[in-house]
Amino acid sequence: FNGNLDLASATSVERVTGGLVLNGAISVNNNSVLSFGGNQSLTGTGTIVLGNTGSSNRALSLQGDTVLTVGSGITVRGENGTVGQAFLSGGTQQITNNGNIVADVGGGTISLVTGLTVNNALLGAANGGTLRLDGAVTQAGAGQINAATGSTVIQNGVTITGGVLNTVGTGRVAVTASNANFLSGVTVNGLLDLASGTGVERVTGGLTLGGAGTVSVNNNSVLSFSGTQTLGGTGSIVLGNTGSSNRALSLEGDTTLTVASGVTVRGINGTLGQAYLAGGNQRIINNGTINSDGGGTINLGPSTGLTNNGTLRAQSGTLNVTTNVTGTGALRVDPTGSLNLANGGNTQGTLLM
């Protein structure tokens, strides 16, 4: 197809079978539907543009059991609507994205709702738009989820596996308060926001914080780890001021979490090592820095102890260590800090005052 296919001037339905080569543009508005049924490809160098009428605009709507492959030259963009939503019949539906799917109009929201999106290229938000992930995303190769300055990607009760989460400037990846939010083997470069509202992020398969990677935890949010895994990279986890209900490095079941040497966990109020959904034998191996530096109180107490090979620091707040501490690391108390050690517990390491 070359030129403009108009599904915007009035409510329209276009159903595609046998594939589509798009070298022009398809505009979708006024609650129109562009629907694909069966395993097929959308290729070419064209663009699909969602308008402003609301979430009923359906682009790349899928019918029945469908795998739709979006080619590398295709861009799906615009203001409001859904991508991947079933049209006439449900089933097992997947989008394999080799192109660009971007919510790029300020104030608008595009929802990605397919059962699974395999992202080998770009999913994102730009120009103040919002991309809401309402279906699982698995990233491979160069797969990235990007939030440009002033824009938001929302993880809404789904699993993101592999790849990179990137934010620029005031862009953010926000997380809802669903226990079904999971990250598995993901690298965060930028802001993972569990602070603007109450959010829950459960990590399996490890998490890497890039050089600018920050996880902010406030408003009684939870960053939870399950199973033996590593928090790696060179970034930071920052606790806010709402109180001890901020739970960072929360542990579920039988879990050993290793904090890498380049990682800093710091902030005002909250807990580290507390069980979230299930108790068990829980341990933190700290090779990085855990620092109470905001004038509040951070409670550190995994159930079976802490191996400290890095630094536990009370810089300008109180650090309550309520578990046994082993290892050769440092326990540092600055002039405006306070370090409280467990009553009856055993503590090893070097005390620096």
Side-chain angles (χ1 to χ4, degrees):
F1 188 92
N2 300 317
N4 181 54
L5 180 60
D6 182 7
L7 306 182
S9 298
T11 301
S12 308
V13 175
E14 186 70 86
R15 296 171 62 184
V16 180
T17 61
L20 176 64
V21 178
L22 177 63
N23 294 317
I26 302 176
S27 52
V28 183
N29 204 20
N30 279 307
N31 305 319
S32 293
V33 178
L34 176 64
S35 174
F36 294 79
N39 295 339
Q40 53 183 304
S41 296
L42 170 64
T43 59
T45 58
T47 303
I48 296 172
V49 183
L50 285 158
N52 61 6
T53 54
S55 61
S56 295
N57 296 321
R58 287 188 275 189
L60 311 192
S61 185
L62 308 179
Q63 294 188 58
D65 295 331
T66 293
V67 176
L68 174 65
T69 300
V70 178
S72 60
I74 296 294
T75 296
V76 182
R77 54 162 297 269
E79 188 168 354
N80 293 317
T82 61
V83 174
Q85 186 178 37
F87 176 41
L88 294 176
S89 59
T92 301
Q93 298 157 333
Q94 174 182 315
I95 291 176
T96 300
N97 177 51
N98 299 313
N100 301 311
I101 299 176
V102 183
D104 64 354
V105 177
T109 299
I110 294 177
S111 299
L112 184 59
V113 299
T114 189
L116 173 64
T117 298
V118 177
N119 182 40
N120 302 313
L122 176 65
L123 305 176
N127 303 322
T130 297
L131 177 67
R132 192 174 69 214
L133 304 178
D134 291 319
V137 177
T138 294
Q139 302 198 101
Q144 297 185 21
I145 298 172
N146 290 354
T149 190
S151 308
T152 303
V153 174
I154 299 175
Q155 183 187 5
N156 185 32
V158 299
T159 298
I160 301 173
T161 302
V164 178
L165 303 181
N166 286 321
T167 69
V168 178
T170 57
R172 65 195 183 102
V173 176
V175 181
T176 63
S178 171
N179 287 336
N181 285 321
F182 285 90
L183 294 180
S184 180
V186 170
T187 296
V188 175
N189 292 326
L191 176 61
L192 181 62
D193 183 6
L194 305 180
S196 297
T198 301
V200 176
E201 188 70 89
R202 299 171 62 186
V203 180
T204 60
L207 177 66
T208 301
L209 302 178
T214 300
V215 183
S216 56
V217 183
N218 203 19
N219 279 305
N220 305 318
S221 293
V222 178
L223 176 65
S224 173
F225 294 78
S226 179
T228 300
Q229 54 183 303
T230 298
L231 172 62
T234 56
S236 300
I237 295 174
V238 183
L239 286 159
N241 61 5
T242 55
S244 61
S245 294
N246 296 320
R247 288 188 275 188
L249 312 192
S250 186
L251 307 179
E252 293 187 59
D254 294 331
T255 293
T256 298
L257 174 66
T258 299
V259 179
S261 59
V263 173
T264 297
V265 184
R266 50 163 293 270
I268 303 174
N269 294 318
T271 62
L272 309 177
Q274 184 183 44
Y276 175 44
L277 295 175
N281 296 316
Q282 298 154 335
R283 173 175 289 273
I284 292 176
I285 300 173
N286 176 51
N287 298 317
T289 299
I290 297 174
N291 186 9
S292 178
D293 66 354
T297 299
I298 294 177
N299 298 299
L300 176 59
S303 62
T304 59
L306 170 75
T307 301
N308 180 41
N309 302 315
T311 300
L312 304 181
R313 183 177 182 184
Q315 182 177 359
S316 57
T318 298
L319 182 64
N320 284 328
V321 181
T322 60
T323 189
N324 290 330
V325 178
T326 58
T328 58
L331 295 88
R332 176 173 172 174
V333 187
D334 291 73
T336 56
S338 177
L339 175 66
N340 298 326
L341 300 178
N343 183 18
N346 296 314
T347 302
Q348 297 178 351
T350 301
L351 180 61
L352 305 174
M353 298 180 66

